[in-house]
Amino acid sequence: MRLGYFAMPMHPMHRPWAETLDEDRNAVILADELGFYDAFIGEHLTDRVENITSSILFQASLIHSTTNIKLATGTTNLSYMHPTLIASNAAMFDHMSRGRFIFGISPGNLRSDAEALGQLDQDRGKMFAEAIDVILEIWNREAPYRIDLPDNRFKVTTEQTAWPEMGIGHLGKPYQLPRPEIVGTVVAPFSPGVVLMGKRDFHPLSANFLQSKWAKTHWDNYAQGKESVGAVADPSDWRVARTVFVADDEATAQRYGGADLRSPYRFYYNQMLTKFTKIGRLPLFKEAREQPDEEITLDYVLDKLVIRGTVDSVVDQILALREQIGDFGELVYAGMDWVEPALARRSMQLMAEEVMPRVNAAIARAETGVGATSAAMHAR
């Protein structure tokens, strides 16, 4: 199982923007030093708390500050700009990073972003589908272009102005051929979009703020999509994001991981709970659809969605997650605001150097016939 990093960084509004951008960069640099496989960074235009406005611009600042980690948009919101711009920028990024690029995509779901862009009344899901079709056509075709797909608002042509001998009318192709890995973040249980991911060989990333029991529905739909095109789903393609805090002692794990009023985990889930309640997405936090809304308190959410504890405890919780939802290829560690930088760094270090080696040792032992509980004990 690989270890990844994901942040749609949430910072208190009083913190200086330049300071939080530095902190977010330092988190990715640390992830690279610790051997994390990839780092996904989210974007929003109009949120002072989630204040990275361009994932690809932010990640470009890290190309020469990192060595091995793959830099992923988490996500590029495809309704924000014309797909020709997205395709060209992503292809250039792929070359600049020498293939250390993962193309994470989504429609863009923040309504204030849509309003600022004059898209509030648009079907952004349809815009998303149309945009990715055009991006792939740009990467698959040669100049001069005449891309006019049925029922697609985005038309791309350079026929009238192309001058091949001078390189005019050409749109760049990615460094990775035929294209970079494409990853879609999945939030809703039973999401039908994951079936389409399977059909098109896009890879799912199950969101960290969804109850873990519902993540299994993402895999089932992905496998269904693969099967529909005569392919077999590979668990290594499935990423599962979880909110994790690892500490050297249990008291610190509980305090910083949610009990303290200053806990960044408490701040993060208070933001999520408040936003989701307002927009009618509270069921994402529920264990059953009929569960009463009043049961979904902040402490309930923290208890259900934050994996926190010492190394041994976190190893056990991750192995229990795997038993619950099945095999998956990557555990994606959700980044938080660094209220106490030493604890934030220590958690990432323990996760990379102690938790994941023990998890993988336990998985290897289980696959050779040792029971899961016994395997976890042997891994310590």
Side-chain angles (χ1 to χ4, degrees), residues 1 317-328 363 367:
M1 185 187 296
Q317 290 176 74
I318 292 172
L319 291 173
L321 169 69
R322 188 172 181 270
E323 286 193 13
Q324 179 186 28
I325 69 175
D327 192 15
F328 55 96
I363 292 171
E367 288 175 347

Side-chain angles (χ1 to χ4, degrees), residues 298-356:
L298 179 55
D299 285 324
Y300 169 91
V301 171
L302 288 164
D303 181 59
K304 295 295 182 181
L305 294 179
V306 180
I307 295 174
R308 50 186 165 174
T310 61
V311 168
D312 287 348
S313 174
V314 171
V315 168
D316 289 342
Q317 290 176 74
I318 292 172
L319 291 173
L321 169 69
R322 188 172 181 270
E323 286 193 13
Q324 179 186 28
I325 69 175
D327 192 15
F328 55 96
E330 182 172 317
L331 181 73
V332 182
Y333 178 104
M336 301 285 136
D337 185 74
W338 285 9
V339 173
E340 296 183 42
L343 290 180
R345 289 175 175 273
R346 181 61 173 161
S347 177
M348 291 178 66
Q349 180 186 15
L350 290 171
M351 191 72 191
E353 296 179 352
E354 299 199 35
V355 171
M356 292 308 293

Side-chain angles (χ1 to χ4, degrees), residues 133-150 152 154-159 169-174 177-178:
D133 285 345
V134 169
I135 289 166
L136 293 178
E137 288 296 324
I138 289 171
W139 288 348
N140 287 334
R141 296 191 191 189
E142 298 297 335
Y145 302 92
R146 185 180 180 183
I147 300 173
D148 188 356
L149 303 177
N152 191 309
F154 301 112
K155 317 299 180 186
V156 180
T157 177
T158 59
E159 282 188 311
H170 166 80
L171 292 168
K173 303 291 187 292
L177 299 177

